[in-house]
Amino acid sequence: MNQQTLILIKPDGLKKSLTGNILTRLSETKLEIIAAKMVKVSKELAEEHYKHLRDKPFFEELIKYITGELHDRKKVLAMVYWGEDAITKVREIAGATNPEEANPVSIRGQYGRITTKGIYENVIHASTNEEDAEREIKLWFSPEDIIMDLYPVKVIILEKVQKKIWV
Ligand code: UDP
Ligand code: MG
């Protein structure tokens, strides 16, 4: 079954110049990239993305991590991968959450580390299941950023919307 999944190259992945390596590893899945953009991650976006972890002791540090405060890289590369069993294929190649427990040849096993504060800096995010993928893709992308309508859309006419355009 065709699925879509959200992938983020986290600030540590960018800082370590791993974008190319990670994309090469992900290309082993033969999935299609159907959306990609650099995103400056606000605290609000970070807290919404990780809201299921709000009660964890590491939550505050996790927000600092994903917003780029720990790496002086206030951005992530957000992408949507699409194709047969996309969620499982990407999770497999990404590896376990804890980089020490991850398969050594997975992306997290190869490139992740645990900080002295105990945060798993595991270089990428990948959606866990279809429900999470839908919530996360809708959070990070608007329909026009994605080259196919993954979920139902509606067209609305906006008036007096402030928008930057090229001069
Ligand atoms: N995380 C952490 N310590 C933990 C659990 C999670 O630092 O004990 C971080 C890690 O960066 C992880 C993110 O929080 O990728 C989100 O956690 P989740 O349980 O959703 O793992 P994932 O889905 O990313 O494998
Ligand atoms: Mg998760």
Side-chain angles (χ1 to χ4, degrees):
M1 193 186 39
N2 285 330
Q3 293 175 323
Q4 46 277 359
T5 185
L6 178 82
I7 299 181
L8 304 175
I9 300 189
K10 296 178 176 182
D12 53 327
L14 297 176
K15 182 152 188 175
K16 291 173 168 174
S17 276
L18 289 172
T19 306
N21 304 53
I22 291 169
L23 293 181
T24 302
R25 292 304 314 279
L26 289 170
S27 71
E28 290 169 27
T29 62
K30 305 282 191 287
L31 296 166
E32 276 183 50
I33 302 173
I34 60 165
K37 63 174 177 181
M38 297 303 305
V39 182
K40 213 189 274 179
V41 185
S42 66
K43 198 157 178 279
E44 292 70 34
L45 174 59
E47 287 178 352
E48 185 61 28
H49 177 75
Y50 281 134
K51 67 177 179 192
H52 60 293
L53 299 171
R54 200 169 279 155
D55 298 328
K56 303 282 183 196
F58 57 82
F59 185 68
E60 205 176 311
E61 197 67 12
L62 176 62
I63 298 305
K64 281 190 193 160
Y65 168 34
I66 199 69
T67 55
E69 249 187 79
L70 303 182
H71 296 91
D72 195 26
R73 288 285 189 291
K74 297 209 179 344
K75 61 195 171 197
V76 304
L77 176 55
M79 299 174 291
V80 180
Y81 274 59
W82 180 88
E84 183 77 23
D85 292 328
I87 293 173
T88 311
K89 280 182 183 156
V90 173
R91 285 293 294 194
E92 249 169 46
I93 215 157
T97 307
N98 179 340
E100 274 186 7
E101 284 169 5
N103 183 332
V105 297
S106 66
I107 295 168
R108 288 166 162 183
Q110 278 187 306
Y111 302 124
R113 70 168 195 137
I114 303 179
T115 67
T116 45
K117 285 193 174 165
I119 288 290
Y120 304 156
E121 285 187 2
N122 50 16
V123 304
I124 69 166
H125 166 82
S127 305
T128 313
N129 54 49
E130 287 193 0
E131 196 186 340
D132 283 355
E134 178 171 357
R135 185 183 79 82
E136 293 170 358
I137 290 168
K138 287 178 174 174
L139 179 64
W140 288 82
F141 289 92
S142 53
E144 55 210 5
D145 294 332
I146 306 177
I147 57 144
M148 54 175 94
D149 284 339
L150 295 174
Y151 308 107
V153 293
K154 62 179 178 185
V155 177
I156 55 167
I157 294 167
L158 297 172
E159 278 174 51
K160 292 194 178 160
V161 174
Q162 192 177 315
K163 197 178 169 184
K164 263 188 209 171
I165 59 165
W166 304 117
V167 291

